[in-house]
Amino acid sequence: MSKFQKVTNRLSTRSVKWDWRKKLFNSEEVLPMWVADMDFEVPEAVKNALIKRAEHGIFGYTLTDQKVNETIQNWLKSKHDWEIEKDWLTYSPGVVPTLHTIIEALTSEEDKVLIQTPVYPPFFQVVNKHNRTLVKNPLQIENGRYEIDFKDLEEKLASGVKAFILCNPHNPVGRVWQKDELQKMADLCMKHDVLIISDEIHSDLVYPGYKHIPIASLSKDIEANTITCMAPSKTFNLAGLQASYVITPDKKMREAVNEQFGLQGLNMLNTMGITAMEAAYEHGGQWLEELIQVIKSNKDRLMERLHSETETIKVIEPEGTYLVWLDCREMGLSHSDLKQWFVEGAKVGLNDGASFGEDGEGFMRINIACPPETLEEGINRIVNATNAR
């Protein structure tokens, strides 16, 4: 049996996805297919590295060193054709804490910060909780694919926006922004003196036929105006180990961000996070290739069955990530009724589309990073409940 076909029981492991079903959905019968972690075991090399480190028996304060920096450099160069300097790196327990830190360090209260909705819910919190002014550049669906409204984008950027939080690949709509799209966004930001904060945590999870391009890699000028947030957590299922990194080429901005990390006491990663990150980037390449084939197969299966066996649920085909955006507007339900129907009718726990912004009403997000057997069960529940309406 392939390691990606194995169904692992995650109950009683304090899993947010599985052990919080009663709390989140008021039912333990719900099949959880929501939060962005995978129901797959990590690469064997990562597991072995963690076991070896655990056997040492001492878990004192642990530093990242030049070897860890080089491991990240090598990954970015081989995977994304992006060469970075070691001193551009800062480490953080996660991309979300990093976004909060950057906003605190490089913007002021009431400054305008732009996001492209529907988008990852913490983007809203990062802006609102620090008393910044939220500006939205809503993405537009054209022939089942989301596109950027560049006219609206320029109008918004020209209104005095100080920072733009980009999501690439985009969560939840699954777009892997192409070079011309990235270039247009970057050029507009340069024209209007807008800082680019790029969340690229899903950068390694791109389907065949598409390529992730770090926006900072487009030119030296754009690089100097961009802060990039990355991590191995989505790629290798390491979210619980809390290890991410920030790439800030501009020295002045980097010093400001690092000072803010210090004010928050976020100066150091945990021992196991460092161990897992290094092992994953050094030895996880083959595992990742196999993973992408599995999630592609899952994506194709989801699309095939929902489009052929239901008339009211449309799959927005993702170009990257293992998160799939479902257009349920033709079901004719209010959004609150739609959420209730998935939990009580289909008994499947998905992410609420409205949590990604008002543009997400009528949509739901499903996580397909699971064994085919689990996916099939989820699809069966949705199809059977839809056809029984």
Side-chain angles (χ1 to χ4, degrees):
M1 175 186 291
S2 162
K3 52 185 168 291
F4 294 108
Q5 292 179 316
K6 177 184 176 184
V7 178
T8 300
N9 184 356
R10 298 183 63 187
L11 292 173
S12 302
T13 63
R14 301 191 177 97
S15 163
V16 169
K17 181 189 275 185
W18 287 87
D19 289 324
W20 273 23
R21 287 181 299 171
K22 181 68 173 176
K23 180 177 180 178
L24 294 173
F25 302 110
N26 200 33
S27 170
E28 292 184 350
E29 296 180 359
V30 164
L31 180 66
M33 303 181 77
W34 63 289
V35 70
D37 73 13
M38 299 190 270
D39 291 327
F40 299 128
E41 291 186 10
V42 300
E44 198 68 21
V46 173
K47 191 190 299 187
N48 291 339
L50 291 170
I51 290 170
K52 182 178 178 181
R53 186 64 186 83
E55 287 174 343
H56 182 265
I58 298 175
F59 309 104
Y61 299 117
T62 306
L63 295 170
T64 51
D65 57 15
Q66 290 304 312
K67 187 172 184 298
V68 178
N69 293 346
E70 289 170 5
T71 300
I72 292 171
Q73 278 184 304
N74 293 339
W75 181 263
L76 295 179
K77 183 176 180 180
S78 64
K79 192 74 181 169
H80 304 300
D81 302 318
W82 187 24
E83 295 192 35
I84 68 164
E85 302 294 331
K86 295 173 190 173
D87 62 5
W88 296 355
L89 287 164
T90 302
Y91 292 91
S92 160
V95 166
V96 173
T98 297
L99 294 175
H100 282 279
T101 301
I102 294 169
I103 290 297
E104 279 279 274
L106 298 175
T107 66
S108 302
E109 289 201 11
E110 299 184 7
D111 276 355
K112 293 181 177 180
V113 179
L114 182 141
I115 62 176
Q116 293 175 313
T117 56
V119 75
Y120 183 48
F123 281 22
F124 295 89
Q125 299 159 16
V126 162
V127 179
N128 293 329
K129 287 184 179 296
H130 297 288
N131 298 317
R132 274 53 173 176
T133 303
L134 183 70
V135 178
K136 295 185 286 186
N137 169 227
L139 300 173
Q140 306 296 315
I141 301 182
E142 296 183 14
N143 299 317
R145 185 172 186 254
Y146 278 84
E147 303 284 355
I148 298 165
D149 182 343
F150 282 102
K151 183 176 184 292
D152 179 74
L153 177 61
E154 177 153 31
E155 288 175 359
K156 300 285 177 60
L157 293 177
S159 73
V161 167
K162 297 297 183 183
F164 164 36
I165 307 177
L166 171 67
C167 195
N168 182 34
H170 193 282
N171 171 17
V173 309
R175 280 299 317 276
V176 176
W177 302 118
Q178 296 176 354
K179 187 174 182 179
D180 64 325
E181 294 170 312
L182 293 167
Q183 189 70 55
K184 282 185 185 179
M185 288 189 281
D187 288 345
L188 289 174
C189 286
M190 297 293 289
K191 177 180 177 181
H192 297 288
D193 194 23
V194 176
L195 170 67
I196 301 169
I197 305 165
S198 190
D199 174 358
E200 302 188 11
I201 196 169
H202 295 279
S203 57
D204 301 321
L205 298 165
V206 172
Y207 294 107
Y210 300 94
K211 179 173 175 54
H212 174 76
I213 301 171
I215 192 168
S217 70
L218 293 176
S219 75
K220 288 298 180 184
D221 287 342
I222 295 167
E223 187 176 75
N225 188 51
T226 302
I227 301 178
T228 305
C229 306
M230 289 181 159
S233 51
K234 296 293 183 267
T235 309
F236 296 104
N237 209 23
L238 306 176
L241 294 177
Q242 297 184 317
S244 78
Y245 52 93
V246 198
I247 303 164
T248 315
D250 181 82
K251 184 179 180 182
K252 186 176 179 181
M253 287 198 292
R254 185 168 64 248
E255 289 175 348
V257 171
N258 289 349
E259 181 180 358
Q260 188 65 37
F261 271 125
L263 290 174
Q264 296 177 359
L266 300 175
N267 305 93
M268 194 174 290
L269 296 186
N270 77 75
T271 303
M272 292 308 197
I274 297 169
T275 301
M277 175 161 33
E278 184 177 30
Y281 280 155
E282 286 187 344
H283 307 293
Q286 180 61 40
W287 182 93
L288 177 58
E289 288 182 17
E290 294 176 30
L291 168 71
I292 288 180
Q293 291 304 315
V294 171
I295 60 174
K296 180 187 182 300
S297 176
N298 281 357
K299 171 197 52 110
D300 293 344
R301 182 64 172 164
L302 178 75
M303 293 185 67
E304 173 197 352
R305 289 203 58 198
L306 290 188
H307 287 169
S308 66
E309 297 179 44
T310 77
E311 296 181 354
T312 53
I313 300 177
K314 309 301 180 189
V315 180
I316 304 297
E317 183 170 10
E319 299 165 355
T321 85
Y322 51 73
L323 306 167
V324 183
W325 197 229
L326 303 180
D327 184 349
C328 308
R329 291 175 295 176
E330 290 184 17
M331 292 181 72
L333 299 172
S334 69
H335 193 74
S336 60
D337 287 345
L338 178 67
K339 290 196 303 178
Q340 183 179 7
W341 180 85
F342 269 100
V343 172
E344 298 178 5
K347 292 184 168 37
V348 177
L350 308 184
N351 283 93
D352 167 18
S355 68
F356 299 84
E358 61 185 17
D359 312 276
E361 290 192 6
F363 294 79
M364 300 292 282
R365 191 190 76 173
I366 186 170
N367 178 346
I368 60 169
C370 57
E373 179 181 329
T374 304
L375 178 77
E376 207 69 20
E377 174 63 23
I379 295 173
N380 286 341
R381 293 185 183 200
I382 293 170
V383 166
N384 291 339
T386 302
N387 293 333
R389 288 183 70 217

